[in-house]
Amino acid sequence: RLRLHDGKLIKDRRYHLRTYPNCFVAKELTDWLIDHKEAPDRETGIRLMQKLMDHYIIHHVCDEHSDYKDAKLLYRFRKDDGTFPLSKDVKVFMRGQSLYEKLVSMEESILKVREENSVKYQRTFLGCEMIDWLVQEGEAENRKEAVELGRALLEHGIIQHVSNRHHFFDSDSLYQFWINFRRRRRLTELLNENSSRALSESPDSPFCLRKLNPDPGNTSFLSVQTNKEIKIVSAVRRSSITSLAGNSNPYFSTTPTLVFPPVAECNPKSVLKRPVTNEELLSPGAPYIKKTLTIVGDAVGWGFVVRGGRPCHIQAVDPGGPAAAAGMKVCQFVFSVNGVYVLHLDYQTISSLIMTGPRTLVMEVMEGIE
């Protein structure tokens, strides 16, 4: 997806007097897959894109086609329009990837090649070292939360004890990242997803989300459910329409399996505790304050989601995006966009104002006084 953005294959396109943001032409993408050796021929390219459609990664811009057609039709990545369903398991996987990238980019990283019982292990760290680092970097508020995060990563097969004998503890036990997130991958790996042999030989496949339920008879390896939702950096950008779906089931089978998120819900539950009217917002003495936010978009957008209408509210904010850095929070109400009063508009109209406006976005929002 990011390579397609960089190559300008993903861009805003007009069709029948309507502009479709962040989309690509199926026929052009098939050509690109072959030119960049992601697929040996058009038939394989079509099969690969169909896999992405089946797993809710891409879709037709109007959802008029359930299959991928090698034609001049417009498709879009769900992460570019906010409809990618983020289950709890996908969130953990993305959090693990984010932590891995941060660790390997450091000059004095705690990830090292270490030896235990005459066996060398790659990408290893001590449990207590990881906890120190998570707290120091602000990835966890305290050591207890850091342990919960480490346990979630282990239960999803992202990290493991080097001899696979223990769960994650605040100790000098040796752990390693089981997935090498920086390994160069090919889309053709998708076509081997049903092969258990392929999975066992490629434990760091990007398409294999594994939540491991340890043997209950091994008391040193007890499965625990984390009681705090894991914070993640998601890619809700360039569109103000989203759907977030979750899965509360914390366990999968002991056998590593491919798990993809469920179909996105069309109408996700509002983050507002109760409906608020314009009259209530604007009445004298109302418990709301107005704030002006200046948001400079990055390569793929601004990082927030607008929902509702008359007034619209902020439904979600990418914690690592430009909007969060500017001070945007969920439950704020949108008062104006680039000087245009919008309390009387619905979220589709506001989304259009944002999408067609400048990269530097000036928004006035109304925030409840606690």
Side-chain angles (χ1 to χ4, degrees):
R1 168 177 160 267
L2 295 178
R3 289 168 68 194
L4 294 174
H5 271 288
D6 291 340
K8 307 299 182 186
L9 262 76
I10 294 179
K11 59 185 178 181
D12 297 355
R13 300 172 186 269
R14 280 187 73 79
Y15 182 72
H16 284 180
L17 302 179
R18 181 177 174 183
T19 299
Y20 295 90
N22 289 323
C23 58
F24 59 86
V25 178
K27 190 175 185 302
E28 293 180 5
L29 182 54
T30 309
D31 293 337
W32 184 93
L33 291 173
I34 296 172
D35 292 343
H36 289 77
K37 295 182 170 38
E38 291 289 353
D41 50 53
R42 302 194 79 80
E43 181 184 354
T44 304
I46 294 168
R47 289 173 60 205
L48 288 170
M49 291 301 102
Q50 186 62 49
K51 284 284 186 183
L52 297 188
M53 287 197 73
D54 293 342
H55 298 313
Y56 316 109
I57 294 171
I58 64 173
H59 66 126
H60 181 257
V61 291
C62 298
D63 290 317
E64 293 177 353
H65 301 279
S66 60
D67 53 350
Y68 181 83
K69 297 182 182 296
D70 186 20
K72 291 184 178 180
L73 295 174
L74 299 181
Y75 292 81
R76 183 187 290 133
F77 279 84
R78 290 187 177 275
K79 291 195 75 172
D80 282 331
D81 64 11
T83 61
F84 179 67
L86 289 171
S87 69
K88 182 177 179 181
D89 308 294
V90 175
K91 292 179 182 180
V92 175
F93 187 86
M94 292 172 66
R95 183 70 186 279
Q97 183 177 25
S98 173
L99 293 174
Y100 182 86
E101 288 295 334
K102 194 171 180 179
L103 282 164
V104 298
S105 300
M106 297 175 60
E107 289 186 6
E108 296 294 330
S109 175
I110 62 173
L111 297 187
K112 299 175 182 176
V113 177
R114 291 182 172 91
E115 187 173 313
E116 184 173 285
N117 296 328
S118 301
V119 179
K120 285 188 176 180
Y121 297 95
Q122 304 287 330
R123 306 183 291 276
T124 68
F125 56 88
L126 300 179
C128 55
E129 278 185 335
M130 175 62 81
I131 297 219
D132 290 340
W133 181 82
L134 289 170
V135 174
Q136 178 184 332
E137 294 295 316
E139 296 287 348
E141 293 184 4
N142 49 54
R143 300 188 78 83
K144 179 181 177 182
E145 185 176 310
V147 170
E148 290 175 353
L149 173 55
R151 286 177 167 247
L153 295 175
L154 188 143
E155 289 169 9
H156 284 77
I158 295 169
I159 65 173
Q160 67 175 14
H161 182 259
V162 291
S163 58
N164 208 24
R165 295 179 59 187
H166 303 291
H167 210 312
F168 184 78
F169 294 104
D170 185 358
S171 68
D172 59 358
S173 296
L174 190 61
Y175 301 87
Q176 69 177 151
F177 270 87
W178 201 47
I179 300 177
N180 177 9
F181 288 102
R182 287 198 168 183
R183 180 177 65 82
R184 180 63 185 269
R185 297 170 170 86
R186 291 291 180 184
L187 279 174
T188 48
E189 292 180 35
L190 271 175
L191 301 180
N192 300 322
E193 67 168 37
N194 294 322
S195 167
S196 58
R197 179 182 178 185
L199 289 178
S200 63
E201 290 178 354
S202 181
D204 54 345
S205 167
F207 308 108
C208 184
L209 304 184
R210 301 167 302 276
K211 184 138 192 187
L212 310 177
N213 187 12
D215 182 357
N218 185 349
T219 55
S220 68
F221 196 70
L222 297 177
S223 235
V224 296
Q225 180 178 357
T226 56
N227 52 22
K228 180 173 287 190
E229 187 68 18
I230 293 179
K231 300 174 184 177
I232 63 153
V233 176
S234 61
V236 182
R237 304 288 177 90
R238 270 295 178 196
S239 174
S240 300
I241 306 169
T242 193
S243 176
L244 303 177
N247 181 358
S248 59
N249 181 9
Y251 297 113
F252 291 143
S253 66
T254 55
T255 305
T257 56
L258 275 145
V259 181
F260 287 88
V263 180
E265 297 173 1
C266 295
N267 295 298
K269 185 177 179 181
S270 172
V271 294
L272 299 178
K273 294 180 180 179
R274 63 177 181 82
V276 176
T277 64
N278 285 336
E279 290 73 19
E280 183 179 346
L281 278 178
L282 301 175
S283 62
Y288 297 95
I289 57 173
K290 189 187 296 183
K291 293 184 176 181
T292 301
L293 308 178
T294 301
I295 308 166
V296 181
D298 60 16
V300 289
W302 298 274
F304 67 96
V305 176
V306 173
R307 298 295 288 181
R310 306 176 184 89
C312 288
H313 64 274
I314 304 301
Q315 173 78 7
V317 179
D318 177 350
M328 182 174 282
K329 303 174 183 177
V330 295
C331 297
Q332 291 174 334
F333 295 95
V334 185
F335 183 86
S336 72
V337 174
N338 294 326
V340 179
Y341 176 78
V342 297
L343 280 182
H344 61 296
L345 301 178
D346 57 27
Y347 76 88
Q348 290 97 333
T349 307
I350 292 179
S351 297
S352 179
L353 278 174
I354 294 170
M355 299 286 291
T356 57
R359 181 177 179 183
T360 299
L361 178 64
V362 179
M363 291 181 62
E364 288 182 297
V365 296
M366 300 191 72
E367 180 180 307
I369 301 174
E370 297 181 357

